[in-house]
Amino acid sequence: MRRRAHPHLTGAPAVLVPTERRNGMKTRTTSLKRLAAGAGALSLAMVGLISTAATAAPGDDPVVGNIDSGATGSIMVHKHEEHSASEDGNPAGDPIGGVEFTVQEVLLGGSSVPLATAEGWDAIDGLSPGDVPGNGFTLDTGTTAVTDGDGEAPFTGLNVGFYLVTETASGPNLIATPAAPFFVAIPMPTDTGAWDYDVDAYPKNILGDFTPTKTAGDHSQEIREGATALWTIGVPVPAAEFDYESLTISDVIGAGMTFDSWVSVSIDNVALDPDTDYEVSADNSTVTLLGPGLDQLNAITDAQTSANVTAVIRTTIDDIGVLENTATVTLNGKPVDTPSVSTNWGALHLTKVDDGNNDVTLPGAVFELRAADSDGLCNNPGDLIEKSAPTADDGVANFEFFVGNNEDTTRKVCVVETVAPAGYVLPANAVFGPFTIDAASTAEGDVPAATWAADIENHKAEGPNLPLTGSTGTLLFTIVGIALIATGGTIAAVRHSRSKA
């Protein structure tokens, strides 16, 4: 009964294990003795493949004449990820499913190589996979098998003969270097002097890797309302001998943003057609290369040539704060996340108040939000970011604007008051700040996250002292006038009295 192998990948092109040596026993490399005029050349014909049969004791060598020409055998190919703990015939890496192998019989003069004779073994002495077809050798059409979830691809019902095993398709796997083609003889010699008709092969396998990137790109405007941001996803597609079978890019938009559009998808800066080369999922989260798009990719890549796939997505900015985004790229079944990147937005919340009573809010003030100068100060405020509408009765002017990308979570800004509320005057220096806006800040009290709140005071206008022409002055003049009249009357009476005397 064939033992199910553990996940494995050896450091040699392949390891061939006769069935009787496949039960956890320690194996070692052998160089078979000459078997009847050339049988021992099998190990050389394997082009570096390691036979796991132990060295036979004198007199224990298999005898070519003992081969049963009418028997059938099998080859079990085991495909596993490379692992440092692997040993010959005892894998330690994960199995790889979906890989296609092809087994073809090597024919000599149109017929099976006669391995039941010494002449047959002599004929394959020193033969390498690159030698066939040629030199009288041909290949039959062969049969294919695909590794299952345990990494096993069985080939059964094989007649006695000499076979070429080739890895012919990667399936849903990112395989950088496929297994080198190798030979298998049915049967294989063992260290007990017998022949084994059921052989396990552990071809060497090197999986590929790639590191996609994501960049938070340009924002459409400085102010948040109506703003959009671009995100660029880069996929360095590694060189590979096999054609790529699938590539998808998924981007589930994070909080504070909504999807706008996939702007473009390109290969080596050549734009792909969204109608034929790729499709977008119904929920707009995923781009998948279709057949024509994969054809363009595979026309570029080969064993020495890589390619770059680039996708650009646009989102609308719905909130302030650190808005993060991550994409997932799946190449031939291998998913890899991009680094998380962010676009960062913040707010400045101003309240216009009376300088004598801050509980009194003032309508009608107008402000300009400007960048701080090169020194991070407000001595010479920089470019205009936004101009506010006049404050309402609550005295509030609110600015929401771009702060930076990724680690740039703070920005210094200045405020210039350009119009004072009615009845109030602009200060001699109407520039305020700098205010340091931190997109990563958390809410504190009544102040929301990513927001700086400040009160801006104004002084009420006061005119000079004017003549008393109001009601109070009139009353005073009246009283004084009456007093003067009374005084005048008294003086006149006194004079009149004196004249009579």
Side-chain angles (χ1 to χ4, degrees):
M1 180 177 180
R2 186 182 301 277
R3 177 181 68 84
R4 187 175 299 278
H6 293 291
H8 169 60
L9 179 68
T10 68
V15 174
L16 304 182
V17 185
T19 301
E20 66 180 45
R21 298 294 295 171
R22 277 188 256 118
N23 295 298
M25 300 174 62
K26 184 177 181 180
T27 60
R28 61 180 182 271
T29 302
T30 183
S31 176
L32 296 175
K33 297 180 179 180
R34 296 281 297 177
L35 297 176
L42 176 62
S43 62
L44 297 177
M46 294 302 164
V47 195
L49 305 184
I50 302 175
S51 169
T52 58
T55 303
D60 287 343
D61 288 338
V63 178
V64 172
N66 291 341
I67 293 177
D68 181 359
S69 299
T72 59
S74 66
I75 301 171
M76 178 68 83
V77 179
H78 300 266
K79 190 72 168 176
H80 303 272
E81 292 184 15
E82 190 170 14
H83 196 287
S84 59
S86 297
E87 297 178 354
D88 294 347
N90 186 25
D94 291 333
I96 304 174
V99 181
E100 180 187 86
F101 285 88
T102 300
V103 169
Q104 297 171 279
E105 185 176 6
V106 179
L107 304 177
L108 179 59
S111 301
S112 298
V113 176
L115 295 184
T117 68
E119 289 76 15
W121 291 95
D122 275 338
I124 61 174
D125 186 6
L127 192 67
S128 67
D131 295 333
V132 293
N135 302 312
F137 292 97
T138 57
L139 296 169
D140 73 357
T141 55
T143 183
T144 62
V146 176
T147 57
D148 59 18
D150 295 317
E152 297 178 350
F155 296 87
T156 59
L158 302 178
N159 295 324
V160 170
F162 198 52
Y163 293 88
L164 176 67
V165 182
T166 308
E167 186 175 331
T168 47
S170 63
N173 301 285
L174 189 61
I175 294 178
T177 305
F182 57 93
F183 290 130
V184 176
I186 302 294
M188 282 281 291
T190 72
D191 59 355
T192 64
W195 293 93
D196 196 304
Y197 295 80
D198 298 304
V199 179
D200 281 49
Y202 296 83
K204 180 179 181 179
N205 188 77
I206 299 177
L207 290 180
D209 202 1
F210 68 103
T211 304
T213 61
K214 187 162 191 179
T215 303
D218 293 336
H219 49 285
S220 61
Q221 59 187 35
E222 289 284 288
I223 59 176
R224 186 205 60 77
E225 185 175 0
T228 62
L230 294 177
W231 308 83
T232 301
I233 303 161
V235 186
V237 180
E241 293 190 25
F242 292 136
D243 283 350
Y244 285 101
E245 298 187 4
S246 64
L247 190 155
T248 63
I249 301 172
S250 297
D251 194 328
V252 178
I253 306 303
M257 298 179 289
T258 54
F259 170 84
D260 179 84
S261 62
W262 287 94
V263 178
S264 65
V265 179
S266 61
I267 301 177
D268 284 356
N269 296 318
V270 177
L272 299 184
D273 188 336
D275 297 323
T276 58
D277 297 330
Y278 66 91
E279 65 179 3
V280 179
S281 63
D283 64 357
N284 295 316
S285 67
T286 302
V287 162
T288 301
L289 289 194
L290 301 176
L294 288 169
D295 289 343
Q296 293 186 52
L297 177 63
N298 291 322
I300 297 172
T301 57
D302 56 28
Q304 287 78 40
T305 308
S306 60
N308 288 284
V309 175
T310 304
V312 180
I313 189 171
R314 179 186 288 117
T315 61
T316 59
I317 306 301
D318 302 326
D319 202 355
I320 59 175
V322 176
L323 310 181
E324 295 183 314
N325 195 240
T326 303
T328 300
V329 179
T330 304
L331 180 60
N332 264 34
K334 181 173 184 176
V336 180
D337 291 338
T338 67
S340 179
V341 293
S342 68
T343 181
N344 310 318
W345 298 73
L348 178 61
H349 185 91
L350 302 178
T351 304
K352 172 58 74 172
V353 296
D354 184 283
D355 66 346
N357 183 356
N358 285 178
D359 291 332
V360 176
T361 58
L362 305 176
V366 177
F367 298 97
E368 289 182 352
L369 181 70
R370 291 183 173 272
D373 59 32
S374 58
D375 295 323
L377 302 175
C378 295
N379 296 328
N380 296 290
D383 294 338
L384 176 67
I385 299 173
E386 185 181 5
K387 183 176 181 178
S388 76
T391 57
D393 289 343
D394 61 3
V396 170
N398 197 50
F399 299 95
E400 295 182 347
F401 51 95
F402 177 73
V403 172
N405 287 331
N406 303 321
E407 68 278 1
D408 295 331
T409 60
T410 61
R411 183 180 184 182
K412 291 185 176 182
V413 294
C414 306
V415 170
V416 180
E417 184 176 356
T418 58
V419 178
Y424 289 77
V425 295
L426 289 173
N429 182 5
V431 179
F432 304 91
F435 303 102
T436 300
I437 311 303
D438 186 354
S441 67
T442 58
E444 184 175 343
D446 295 334
V447 180
T451 301
W452 183 292
D455 290 342
I456 303 296
E457 297 180 342
N458 269 96
H459 182 71
K460 192 171 185 178
E462 295 181 359
N465 293 326
L466 299 177
L468 296 175
T469 57
S471 60
T472 302
T474 302
L475 177 60
L476 180 60
F477 284 135
T478 301
I479 295 170
V480 172
I482 292 173
L484 289 175
I485 292 172
T487 301
T490 301
I491 294 173
V494 170
R495 287 178 177 174
H496 179 71
S497 175
R498 286 179 178 175
S499 64
K500 283 185 174 184

